[in-house]
Amino acid sequence: MKTDKDHQKTASPWPRIDAARVHALLGESAEFAFLDVREEGLFNTGHPLTIVSAPFSHLETRMAALVPRRATRIILMDQQDDGLAERAARRLSGWGYTDISIMMDGLEGWRAAGLEVFAGIYVPSKAFGEFVEHRYDTPAIDAQELRRWMEQGKDMIILDSRPYTEFHNYSLPGGIDCPGAELVHRVFDLIEREETTIVVNCAGRTRGIIGAQSLINAGIKNPVVCVRNGTAGWHLAGETMARGSRTVAPPPSPKGLAAAIDAAMRVSQRFGVREIDAKGLRALQADASRSLYFFDVRTPEEYEAGHIKGARSAPGGQLIQSTDHYVATRNSRIVLCDDNGVRARMTASWLIQLGWTEVFVLTGGLVACGAALDKGPESVELLPMEAADGVERINVLDLHRLLASGDAVVVDLANSLKFRVRHIPGAWFAVRSRLHDGLAQVVAGAPRAKRIVLTSDDGAFAALAAADAVAASSLPVSILDGGTATWAAAGLPLASGLENMTSATDDVWYSPYDYDDLAKSMTAYLTWEIDLIQQLEKDQSLQFRYFAPSA
């Protein structure tokens, strides 16, 4: 006798594929995208090693970038084939994706098949950092040793390989911000003596290891070390972090750039980095049978000042640190560009070691295509959302009046981290993919309300979810024009904390810095990161490449 679940699968227009077959596909050379449509926080608790997080709640804003070619084979996974993947498949099909399957029994089917489950986010990149440290013996010092060096006045320079925003929030005392791909690009102007030790750090481990090894690979003559466990290790050692630092490594001088270009060319030769010209790029772009990702690996500020039309912004260090944030199609092609080749070649060398086999650097960089550059931030391709009939926008004054009379209830769709920091008093927290159950709780908890008003940070995400809310709600639905930001700008009161929760806080990833017990969360995170190299041996779906140092 068939159960309701069996009937759902039989009636589904999207075929099921079992976990063992999906795992086998991971070892083949054909293109396909393996996507987890659960919320990011739930993804963080456990998933297959090389699956990419593509939460149902955010498909409109992320899918076109993650899987740009509509004919790509896509395999979707949810928790236990519980209907979420079906909903995602229906949405993807409406956007023109033509080859969609669903993994049978979701993550539970993967577990039942005896396959390895990994916790965390950006796991391939994190595991790669551990691989690099083990295979290349990347030199490292701990926080106590760094403190001794500081007290001794050692001839050294501390380079923080994170983006400026992270660095500005907290950093090591005396550190200079020089994000990942910028290290080889800018370092030659920062050192005057070959005896000066270069110390590289990040928040934890990966970017510090990759950054230090980048300088070593580039053949720099100075001693190079990374700070074991980064700022987390510094904090756990009882040291105080600097906050608000604005010290940034300057762009290279002509002399420094010449040295950087020479170094990047040596790296390019060692790791077999391939280059293509504008004609080659156009040929790849015209090939409808293959997926292509075209990235500008300079800083976001440089990208906004001018970039090749169609290139996406992916600063090199972040592209290596979180590759699956940018690329979801396995075995696809990747083209990198910058202005002088240094950052593109260095980034390409790491992608090749990560296991990507078709990585190219655009010869000539920004001037290669011979066309005017686009200016401004990267534009997000927003896939068409369902029409939300009858949904009106209301302003903050109207909402304030409705709340005072008890005629409305606010449902906030911002993520739980943002909701915890600030929300409209009395607002309920809900997750878009769970609105059916969430709005039922809201209606039961606010029996006098005659209308649900959706909000989010600036109202944009609330507008995306409006059709879903209408379908799930027994009450009329409106949207707060401008979202919670306009409420705050009007000087109206705000609340904080987790209250009126219709869902668990598993919608987004919580970093170690988001927990009250910082020492405990940092220790757990670092332990997880270090243990990845052992867990990696239990799963053969990812093969990193080792290149012996040249003589």
Side-chain angles (χ1 to χ4, degrees), residues 56 75 150 177 209 280 293 415 420 493 513:
F56 176 88
I75 300 174
M150 289 178 175
D177 188 42
I209 294 168
Y293 295 84
N415 70 51
R420 185 177 71 176
Y513 295 89

Side-chain angles (χ1 to χ4, degrees), residues 31 69 281-292 333:
E31 285 191 11
R69 191 171 66 93
L281 173 61
R282 289 193 293 270
L284 295 185
Q285 290 172 326
D287 185 356
S289 69
R290 296 291 307 280
S291 298
L292 175 67
R333 293 164 169 167

Side-chain angles (χ1 to χ4, degrees), residues 9 34 48 56 98 106 123 132 156 161 182 211 230 292 375 424 448 477 483 486 504 546:
K9 293 179 187 177
F34 186 22
F56 176 88
T98 58
V123 178
V132 168
M156 66 177 178
S161 62
E182 301 300 323
L292 175 67
K375 297 183 183 296
I424 295 170
R448 290 179 52 207
V477 175
T486 59
Y546 169 76

Side-chain angles (χ1 to χ4, degrees), residues 114-126:
L115 298 169
E116 195 69 13
V117 172
F118 289 75
I121 65 169
Y122 309 142
V123 178
S125 294
K126 297 292 185 180

Side-chain angles (χ1 to χ4, degrees), residues 140-220:
I141 59 168
D142 58 25
Q144 291 84 354
E145 182 70 9
L146 179 59
R147 167 53 68 189
R148 283 193 290 272
W149 286 5
M150 289 178 175
E151 292 171 349
Q152 294 165 3
K154 185 177 177 65
D155 180 10
M156 66 177 178
I157 184 172
I158 301 173
L159 301 181
D160 193 312
S161 62
R162 298 172 298 156
Y164 176 77
T165 301
E166 289 186 55
F167 168 79
H168 181 70
N169 285 341
Y170 56 88
S171 60
L172 298 181
I176 299 171
D177 188 42
C178 192
E182 301 300 323
L183 285 162
V184 173
H185 191 226
R186 304 187 185 203
V187 71
F188 292 97
D189 288 316
L190 298 175
I191 49 175
E192 297 179 355
R193 304 173 65 250
E194 292 180 2
E195 293 76 21
T196 301
T197 298
I198 302 173
V199 180
V200 183
N201 79 276
C202 65
R205 296 179 55 79
T206 307
R207 288 171 290 184
I209 294 168
I210 298 298
Q213 194 61 47
S214 290
L215 294 173
I216 294 169
N217 289 352
I220 196 164

Side-chain angles (χ1 to χ4, degrees), residues 442-462:
V442 172
V443 171
R448 290 179 52 207
K450 300 174 183 177
R451 175 171 297 275
I452 287 173
V453 179
L454 299 180
T455 189
S456 57
D457 303 341
D458 59 6
F461 185 63

